[in-house]
Amino acid sequence: MAGMRTLREMVAYLGEQAGSAAAASEVKPASVESPAPSPHVVAAASPAPMAQASIGRFALRAVAAPALGLATPGLIAARNLVVTDDGAGVGAALVEKLAARGAKARLVHEIPADADAVIFLGGLRAARSIEDMVAVNREALRAARVVAGRFAKEGGTFVTVQDTGGDFGLSGCERAWLAAPAALARTAAIEWPSAHVRAIDVGRVGRSPDEVAEALCAELLSGGVEREVGLPVEGTRVVLQTVPAPLPAVSALPLDPQSVVVVSGGARGVTAACAIELARAARCRFLLLGRTSIEDEPACCRGVEADAELKRVLLAEAKGRGETVSPAKLGSRVAAVLAVREIRRTLQAIGSAGGEARYVSVDVSDAGAVAEAVAQARTSWGSITGVIHGAGALADKFIADKTDAQFAKVFRTKVVGLRSLLDATVDDELAFLLLFSSVAAHSGNQGQADYAMANEVLNKVAALEQRRRGPRCLVRALGWGPWDGGMVDASVRARFAAMGVPLIPIETGARLMRDELCAAGDAEVVIGGAVSGHGLAEPATPLKIEAEIVVDRAHCAFLDGHRVRGNVVVPVALVLEWFARAARACRPDLTLAACRDVQVLRGIRLDRFDDGVAEHFLLCARQLSNGHEATIAVELVGAAGARHYAAICEMKERSPLPDRTLAAPADLVPWSSVIYDGEVLFHGPAFQVIRSVDGIADGGLTATLDGVAAHGWAGLWQLDPALLDGGLQAAVLWAHRKLGAGSLPTAIASLHIYHLGPVAGTIRCVLVGREASHERAVSDAIFLASNGSVVAELRGIEVHALPRAEQPAGPPEAPAPRRRAGNGSPAPS
């Protein structure tokens, strides 16, 4: 109990020890950095031996990522979609464009409590000063706080939008001080697991408000579902990718005995260890800035070391004076004693290492006090050589409970403190500027939205300062993983062990920091264990994504040519295209190789297509296996929750080579009928992709097809759905010869892809029959490009004859005489 600071903790501990089910404890997240002395209370975890993992070094890259044609879930169906006003006209234009696509949005200045979808445009606001930019960050947190409680329980859609150059500030944007909304989104995604959370960075330079709104609307309704997407002014699309970045060749340390280094938060904890390491290496001088005042400790504490013993003697002293002290107050007095002792030990260690140190008690966010302390050091020792900003503060609470005061406390130390240091050294030719950031900025961390946001600002200001200062000054933000010190007690250590996150030993971290000063390179790096996404490794869980497909006449005009009895019907070939997009969104690092067990559960009729009204469908992709290859289950769900199609997608590292060829039947005879007679094939001009049937027999047929390019289908194609639909049409033609009746496809055993995207030129289709009865026919189709290479193959195309009453063509809901297990109705090709 000696390490506990509140009665709540003590009661919870005693309740657990007594086995009382009524005892309750407060569970807080494990912090990824520990600048303050107070411990967290975390969920109990059984300590487990963790293999010594290497400490990795990673950098962030903006990587080109073409749009997938997927919509952010929850926008079209939102009952109360709100867009915050950016003050420059982007919001009003975006509301109008969303409405044209079927999303009923409204422009607001304040977010209503009942909003179920929020697009925060504050990050686009014109900001004339650093104060204006920091205010945007605070506004973003307030926006999230309004909906946080409900989104954490029920889900919703939350999108932050900012302008930091379209690459999240990696290139050094002047608006770096408002980079925090992206880090807010990372943490919100963790705290609201059922919500859809995204961050978009759109470059505005040279773009009108309408052009910015158009770029945003396109991304929201036909871009992708990546957590973070950048839209640079060049019109490209990028996503953030974390890559290993081993330390470049190490040069000489930019310090000597005459150097002067200003270190915030440098007298205690991990920053103190780093200062001591530099003192050993360079014997230089240090101005250490910290919040703790140096005062003589009470006489009763002299010679007492243990935390519990200090509490005992201080409690006895208070009682002797007739004072009643709470556990929290007693803990604060002990912490003050230990803090002063640590500062004195740091000063002594630096001196013993050959350096010289001066400690000044100052609030690093007090620009005047910091400037005065730096000026005095400059007078005594000479110009400042380098700055290390290690000060930090925590105020861990979920977004729903985070107060403005807690946000201000965290931002004041990290962000305002950085500005104070930059202002105080503006006239010094710095050799280096080192900012202690956190991996929380890259990955988010439960309960630490403000801490992640503040460190994200540090990261992007580092990029800005590096661009401004050039090669004469090394600027770097170090996104530290958790250190094995400070607040990391046994329970926190066990939590990280369970997550598979290695802790950075104090001595190791200090040496890594020293090495960072000796190598040029990225202005922003992450140092710690393996990263997942942009941050800490997470427990292995099946990867799952959700995305929406928005279908309307304006963007899918080609569907006008796919009607059954006058009704526009979604072809199964287009569904396969959507499945390809979902699989790619789920595993963008892999290539789609095949779709298996394609099930037609219920056809889709677009009843409002001719009215220009958008309809939307939900794509769900769930990873079943992981590794160098992956298996992904995909399904398409309607707005009312009905399942329409399902399939299994196989992803590989690269496109496979064909494992077989199909020979055309030897007894082909010329085709003498009209291909699109309105009976066997009902397709309109946009779907009349069979250019010619070159021959037909009881064993199959051959045909020449056109793909999407030749027919002018607009879209962001992963496959060539026109080509695939042509293959299904060919199967219907052959089935008519065998069954003597009109038919529709009911299932596809598998689609094999050997070429991604549209296929140029004409394509030869070879269809070979496998079996046929009086009501069912099964065939395979292979597609060959003009150079003879195989681009795709459909295996096990099942076609069922339509009931006689519905000849020549029935509606998509028509029952099939026989279906694959689990299948519903046939699907028009």
Side-chain angles (χ1 to χ4, degrees):
M1 294 173 61
M4 300 177 184
R5 304 185 65 214
T6 67
L7 287 173
R8 180 191 294 270
E9 296 173 38
M10 295 179 182
V11 170
Y13 172 78
L14 291 172
E16 291 170 358
Q17 295 300 308
S20 169
S25 63
E26 183 178 4
V27 179
K28 293 185 180 180
S31 298
V32 296
E33 192 176 53
S34 46
S38 58
H40 283 291
V41 182
V42 298
S46 301
M50 183 174 62
Q52 181 63 38
S54 61
I55 304 302
R57 186 178 188 271
F58 306 89
L60 205 57
R61 299 282 183 264
V63 179
L68 290 175
L70 301 176
T72 303
L75 296 180
I76 298 293
R79 297 182 304 276
N80 193 3
L81 166 59
V82 298
V83 178
T84 65
D85 192 356
D86 63 301
V90 174
L94 179 59
V95 166
E96 183 178 335
K97 294 178 185 298
L98 288 172
R101 296 293 306 276
K104 297 178 181 178
R106 60 191 179 97
L107 192 66
V108 299
H109 294 284
E110 293 186 2
I111 295 174
D114 62 344
D116 54 357
V118 176
I119 301 174
F120 174 76
L121 298 185
L124 299 181
R125 185 168 296 115
R128 297 179 176 84
S129 65
I130 292 177
E131 289 83 3
D132 289 346
M133 288 187 267
V134 172
V136 168
N137 300 322
R138 181 171 56 249
E139 181 187 347
L141 181 69
R142 289 173 176 169
R145 188 171 59 205
V146 172
V147 297
R150 191 158 42 81
F151 280 20
K153 296 176 183 178
E154 305 171 6
T157 300
F158 189 82
V159 181
T160 65
V161 182
Q162 65 193 58
D163 172 17
T164 45
D167 64 353
F168 293 94
L170 289 179
S171 58
C173 178
E174 293 292 335
R175 294 167 57 88
W177 295 89
L178 58 68
L184 169 65
R186 294 164 196 154
T187 295
I190 297 172
E191 294 189 12
W192 312 338
S194 299
H196 302 285
V197 183
R198 302 191 69 201
I200 300 175
D201 183 0
V202 55
R204 293 181 308 156
V205 176
R207 281 173 165 170
S208 68
D210 189 75
E211 289 170 329
V212 173
E214 181 62 36
L216 287 174
C217 186
E219 175 57 38
L220 291 169
L221 298 184
S222 58
V225 292
E226 298 96 335
R227 178 69 41 76
E228 294 145 283
V229 171
L231 305 174
V233 294
E234 299 82 8
T236 55
R237 184 178 186 272
V238 300
V239 297
L240 297 181
Q241 190 175 96
T242 304
V243 299
L247 195 69
V250 175
S251 58
L253 191 69
L255 293 170
D256 60 38
Q258 303 305 312
S259 299
V260 181
V261 183
V262 178
V263 187
S264 71
R268 299 178 56 205
V270 297
T271 322
C274 293
I276 294 169
E277 177 66 23
L278 292 180
R280 293 194 189 103
R283 301 174 178 269
C284 49
R285 298 160 174 167
F286 297 89
L287 171 62
L288 307 180
L289 306 177
R291 290 171 293 187
T292 303
S293 298
I294 299 289
E295 298 177 356
D296 291 335
E297 64 186 46
C300 64
C301 296
R302 293 171 188 164
V304 180
E305 297 295 333
D307 184 277
E309 283 299 302
L310 284 170
K311 286 182 178 177
R312 185 184 63 79
V313 298
L314 285 171
L315 181 60
E317 182 195 45
K319 286 183 176 180
R321 297 195 308 269
E323 180 187 1
T324 300
V325 293
S326 66
K329 191 171 183 180
L330 185 62
S332 296
R333 291 180 181 179
V334 170
V337 170
L338 295 176
V340 172
R341 289 180 180 181
E342 186 178 0
I343 292 170
R344 296 188 191 279
R345 285 196 297 269
T346 298
L347 295 172
Q348 182 179 3
I350 290 175
S352 299
E356 184 178 354
R358 174 186 300 171
Y359 176 79
V360 178
S361 176
V362 63
D363 181 349
V364 73
S365 66
D366 186 337
V370 171
E372 182 180 353
V374 171
Q376 291 175 356
R378 191 183 294 112
T379 299
S380 301
W381 291 333
S383 61
I384 308 303
T385 308
V387 172
I388 300 176
H389 182 33
L394 294 177
D396 290 5
K397 289 286 183 181
F398 292 121
I399 293 171
D401 304 318
K402 187 83 66 175
T403 66
D404 285 354
Q406 290 165 340
F407 174 88
K409 172 186 174 183
V410 173
F411 251 68
R412 204 166 46 237
T413 306
K414 278 285 182 186
V415 177
V416 181
L418 171 59
R419 187 182 180 190
S420 297
L421 292 167
L422 293 176
D423 289 346
T425 57
V426 67
D427 295 325
D428 295 289
E429 281 287 331
L430 298 181
F432 65 87
L433 172 61
L434 205 60
L435 310 181
F436 278 26
S437 181
S438 168
V439 70
H442 293 260
S443 62
N445 196 36
Q446 186 169 270
Q448 292 190 324
D450 47 7
Y451 189 67
M453 294 169 73
N455 282 294
E456 178 70 353
V457 172
L458 261 61
N459 293 339
K460 304 320 176 192
V461 172
L464 171 60
E465 289 295 323
Q466 186 65 85
R467 181 178 64 80
R468 285 176 172 174
R469 296 171 187 265
R472 73 180 189 278
C473 177
L474 183 148
V475 182
R476 186 158 299 149
L478 302 178
W480 293 110
W483 289 63
D484 194 0
M487 291 184 302
V488 179
D489 58 14
S491 59
V492 176
R493 191 174 292 110
R495 167 78 179 273
F496 281 124
M499 294 170 63
V501 178
L503 301 178
I504 303 173
I506 293 288
E507 299 79 5
T508 302
R511 288 195 298 271
L512 291 173
M513 181 279 307
R514 179 198 63 197
D515 292 344
E516 290 290 337
L517 290 177
C518 302
D522 294 282
E524 176 185 350
V525 298
V526 177
I527 299 177
V531 293
S532 173
H534 306 315
L536 293 174
E538 299 171 352
T541 56
L543 185 61
K544 180 180 178 180
I545 66 101
E546 290 184 348
E548 286 190 358
I549 289 290
V550 180
V551 184
D552 59 16
R553 174 180 283 278
H555 297 83
C556 302
F558 56 87
L559 286 176
D560 188 57
H562 199 266
R563 294 176 180 265
V564 176
R565 292 185 170 178
N567 299 308
V568 175
V569 177
V570 174
V572 66
L574 186 57
V575 174
L576 290 173
E577 164 67 27
W578 294 344
F579 282 177
R581 297 179 188 182
R584 182 64 186 273
C586 196
R587 285 299 300 268
D589 56 319
L590 297 177
T591 296
L592 179 64
C595 288
R596 298 186 183 277
D597 301 324
V598 180
Q599 298 181 35
V600 183
L601 305 173
R602 180 179 297 185
I604 300 175
R605 188 172 64 195
L606 302 176
D607 294 326
R608 308 185 71 183
F609 184 85
D610 290 332
D611 298 329
V613 177
E615 298 189 50
H616 63 100
F617 304 90
L618 182 66
L619 278 168
C620 302
R622 178 170 54 90
Q623 184 167 290
L624 304 178
S625 67
N626 199 358
H628 296 297
E629 300 179 354
T631 303
I632 298 172
V634 188
E635 65 178 14
L636 184 69
V637 181
R643 296 173 68 235
H644 290 280
Y645 291 84
I648 300 295
C649 294
E650 295 181 357
M651 308 292 287
K652 297 184 180 298
E653 289 186 301
R654 59 184 62 86
S655 294
L657 296 174
D659 58 2
R660 68 171 187 169
T661 59
L662 293 179
D667 55 347
L668 291 173
V669 298
W671 175 268
S672 57
S673 303
V674 176
I675 298 175
Y676 295 99
D677 59 356
E679 296 183 357
V680 178
L681 294 183
F682 56 84
H683 306 75
F687 273 81
Q688 293 177 5
V689 297
I690 300 179
R691 181 177 295 186
S692 63
V693 177
D694 304 318
I696 190 168
D698 285 346
L701 63 75
T702 61
T704 301
L705 312 179
D706 288 329
V708 294
H711 275 259
W713 291 16
L716 303 166
W717 305 114
Q718 295 292 306
L719 307 177
D720 194 320
L723 173 69
L724 299 179
D725 199 80
L728 297 176
Q729 294 175 31
V732 169
L733 288 177
W734 176 74
H736 185 263
R737 176 185 177 93
K738 299 294 292 182
L739 307 180
S743 61
L744 290 174
T746 57
I748 300 170
S750 61
L751 162 67
H752 299 262
I753 302 101
Y754 309 115
H755 171 89
L756 289 174
V759 180
T762 57
I763 301 99
R764 182 169 181 256
C765 173
V766 176
L767 184 134
V768 176
R770 286 167 49 175
E771 58 178 289
S773 65
H774 70 284
E775 61 182 22
R776 171 177 175 269
V778 181
S779 58
D780 298 338
I782 196 166
F783 305 90
L784 299 98
S786 57
N787 63 1
S789 64
V790 179
V791 296
E793 182 181 1
L794 288 169
R795 297 182 185 177
I797 306 170
E798 283 195 36
V799 174
H800 282 86
L802 291 168
R804 292 293 175 183
E806 298 180 0
Q807 298 292 338
E813 293 79 15
R818 179 181 174 191
R819 305 184 182 105
R820 291 174 58 87
N823 284 2
S825 56
S829 62

